[in-house]
């Protein structure tokens, strides 16, 4: 059985300790009553320590939104896996907003190195994949997403793959208010993403890896995604920035 995960991606919001702690404290009572679903908060780097202090006594996990693949070095402005190990359980890798940064962003090779580094330091990657609107309209989703999964997971062991999290986030659905159809997301996750994992790492890893859907998920839409057999939760951006995020998580619990 795969334990559902709902991860909050705060992006470049709520980066002051007072505002980040206030939001988490407002949600904690409601979130701690929900045992069936694991919750992770991925805030900006500036408040990881502040939230670590608030969350250490709770079951709510903490995640970073990116990291460098090297332990240390002359990389101004970067954050190393060593700095995150012990502070976070999760790290979002290869978010489309970072892949879109071109030369300075996440190439497939860089993401693959980061995935390896996350496992080496005991961090669970939340590996983001997903097609853009042109690929979606041309029917190229399966080939493109499969390629992203294969390249990100090169050199990883089946056991590591089994423990990792993949987030299927169609780029056209992110922040657009137009979520994917749950049945379509279920198909891409089941056939394309689990299929790619099965081909490379075996059926056991494919059945163990948790795969989330992300892109304009709301409290009103989450149940439709959770009802799908291949979807193990969600990566939530905009709807995770308010105390009502706790209602979204509550709505994800199977009735
Ligand atoms: P959204 O963002 O929920 O605001 O669409 C999701 C994401 O980018 O992870």
């Amino acid at each position: 059985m795969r334990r559902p995960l709902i991860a909050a991606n705060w992006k470049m919001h709520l980066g002051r300790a007072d505002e980040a702690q206030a939001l988490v404290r407002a949600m904690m009572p409601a979130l701690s009553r929900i045992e069936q679903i694991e919750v992770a908060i991925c805030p900006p780097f500036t408040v990881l320590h502040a939230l670590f202090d608030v969350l250490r006594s709770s079951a709510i996990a903490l995640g970073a939104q990116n990291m460098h693949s090297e332990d240390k070095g002359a990389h101004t402005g970067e954050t190393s896996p060593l700095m995150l190990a012990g502070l976070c359980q999760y790290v979002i890798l290869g978010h489309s907003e970072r892949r879109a940064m071109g030369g300075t962003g996440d190439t497939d090779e860089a993401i693959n190195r980061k995935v390896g580094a996350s496992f080496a330091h005991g961090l669970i990657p939340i590996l983001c994949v997903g097609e853009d609107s042109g690929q979606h309209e041309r029917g190229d989703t399966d080939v493109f997403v499969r390629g992203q999964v294969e390249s990100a997971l090169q050199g990883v062991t089946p056991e590591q793959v089994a423990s990792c999290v993949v987030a299927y986030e169609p780029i056209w659905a992110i922040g657009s208010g137009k979520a994917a159809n749950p049945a379509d997301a279920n198909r891409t996750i089941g056939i394309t993403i689990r299929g790619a994992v099965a081909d490379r790492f075996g059926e056991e890893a494919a059945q163990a890896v948790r795969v989330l859907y992300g892109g304009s998920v709301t409290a009103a839409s989450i149940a439709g995604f959770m009802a799908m057999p291949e979807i193990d939760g969600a990566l939530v951006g905009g709807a995770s920035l308010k105390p009502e995020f706790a209602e979204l998580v509550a709505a994800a619990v199977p009735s």
Side-chain angles (χ1 to χ4, degrees):
M1 270 300 278
R2 301 183 296 260
R3 182 157 188 237
L5 169 68
I6 299 203
N9 177 9
W10 285 5
K11 307 191 180 183
M12 202 169 68
H13 299 285
L14 300 168
R16 278 197 346 247
D18 58 346
E19 58 184 358
Q21 288 184 330
L23 174 56
V24 167
R25 287 205 172 101
M27 298 188 297
M28 267 172 78
L31 289 178
S32 56
R33 285 194 291 274
I34 302 167
E35 283 170 9
Q36 300 94 322
I37 294 177
E38 184 183 1
V39 175
I41 311 269
C42 306
F45 288 118
T46 49
V47 294
L48 279 173
H49 274 285
L51 292 192
F52 177 85
D53 291 338
V54 176
L55 295 176
R56 66 199 315 169
S57 59
S58 81
I60 300 168
L62 196 54
Q65 297 177 16
N66 178 39
M67 67 173 197
H68 198 277
S69 56
E70 288 175 34
D71 287 359
K72 58 185 172 185
H75 302 293
T76 303
E78 291 289 335
T79 306
S80 98
L82 276 181
M83 300 171 190
L84 298 178
L87 187 59
C88 305
Q89 290 90 347
Y90 291 98
V91 57
I92 297 173
L93 295 178
H95 190 283
S96 57
E97 287 156 11
R98 298 202 57 83
R99 291 182 190 257
M101 290 163 79
T104 57
D106 279 340
T107 60
D108 282 337
E109 294 72 29
I111 294 165
N112 177 241
R113 284 195 298 274
K114 292 179 183 193
V115 167
S118 67
F119 287 123
H121 292 281
L123 296 158
I124 302 172
I126 300 177
L127 167 67
C128 298
V129 296
E131 81 286 1
D132 67 21
S133 58
Q135 291 161 330
H136 180 67
E137 275 152 30
R138 288 193 299 276
D140 291 343
T141 297
D142 291 352
V143 171
F144 182 72
V145 170
R146 177 175 268 268
Q148 285 185 317
V149 172
E150 287 173 353
S151 103
L153 297 178
Q154 257 179 52
V156 166
T157 69
E159 292 71 31
Q160 287 170 329
V161 176
S163 73
C164 100
V165 177
V166 178
Y168 170 56
E169 298 205 302
I171 294 172
W172 47 269
I174 294 175
S176 65
K178 280 189 250 153
N181 175 302
D184 291 345
N186 186 66
R187 191 194 152 281
T188 302
I189 289 173
I191 295 177
T192 308
I193 297 177
R194 284 194 210 286
V197 172
D199 290 349
R200 286 261 165 132
F201 302 96
E203 194 55 35
E204 207 176 309
Q207 289 309 316
V209 62
R210 288 185 292 176
V211 190
L212 317 181
Y213 166 77
S216 297
V217 173
T218 63
S221 66
I222 185 69
F225 290 102
M226 299 304 288
M228 294 289 149
E230 304 290 357
I231 302 180
D232 303 317
L235 182 56
V236 183
S240 73
L241 299 173
K242 299 216 167 92
E244 292 75 34
F245 176 64
E247 289 161 27
L248 186 158
V249 177
V253 176
S255 47

